[in-house]
C-alpha cells in the first residue's frame, strides 16, 4: 500500500521530532530490500527507500507525539497499513 500512489509520510527521528515528507507532491518508492536474519536479534523484514521532490525541506510537525504523530497538523487522514 505504501508503494501505491504518492503518499505523504510522517518520519520520527531519534529525538522524537516528527517531520512531514512529501507535503506538496508526495513521495515515491525508489528501492527496497528484504532481509531474513539468522539469529533471534537479527532483522527479518523489509526496508523501503522513499524519495520526495519538494521546493522546501520537510516540515517539522509542532506538537506531534508518539501516540498522535498528526497532532501538529490541522487536517490529516492517517492510513494504517498492516500485513
Amino acid at each position: 500500500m505504501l508503494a501505491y500512489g504518492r503518499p505523504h509520510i510522517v518520519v520520527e527521528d531519534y529525538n522524537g521530532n516528527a517531520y512531514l515528507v512529501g507535503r506538496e507532491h508526495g513521495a515515491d518508492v525508489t528501492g527496497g530490500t528484504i532481509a531474513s536474519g539468522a539469529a533471534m536479534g537479527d532483522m527479518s523484514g523489509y526496508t523501503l527507500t522513499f524519495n520526495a521532490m519538494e521546493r522546501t525541506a520537510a516540515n517539522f510537525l509542532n506538537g506531534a507525539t508518539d501516540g498522535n504523530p498528526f497532532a501538529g497538523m490541522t487536517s490529516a487522514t492517517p492510513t494504517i497499513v498492516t500485513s
Side-chain angles (χ1 to χ4, degrees), residues 17-44:
N17 299 314
Y19 301 88
L20 178 62
V21 177
R23 179 178 167 265
E24 291 183 44
H25 305 292
D28 288 321
V29 175
T30 58
T33 59
I34 299 172
S36 179
M40 184 63 138
D42 292 347
M43 177 184 152
S44 292

Side-chain angles (χ1 to χ4, degrees), residues 40-67:
M40 184 63 138
D42 292 347
M43 177 184 152
S44 292
Y46 303 91
T47 301
L48 296 176
T49 303
F50 291 91
N51 187 29
M53 301 294 288
E54 300 291 324
R55 290 185 264 180
T56 59
N59 295 81
F60 177 76
L61 297 179
N62 190 20
T65 63
D66 287 338

Side-chain angles (χ1 to χ4, degrees), residues 2 6-13 16-23 26-27 50 52 58-73 75-79:
L2 287 174
R6 297 180 60 91
H8 306 281
I9 302 169
V10 175
V11 177
E12 181 181 0
D13 67 13
N17 299 314
Y19 301 88
L20 178 62
V21 177
R23 179 178 167 265
F50 291 91
N59 295 81
F60 177 76
L61 297 179
N62 190 20
T65 63
D66 287 338
N68 184 5
F70 299 101
M73 299 178 68
S75 63
T77 305
T79 301

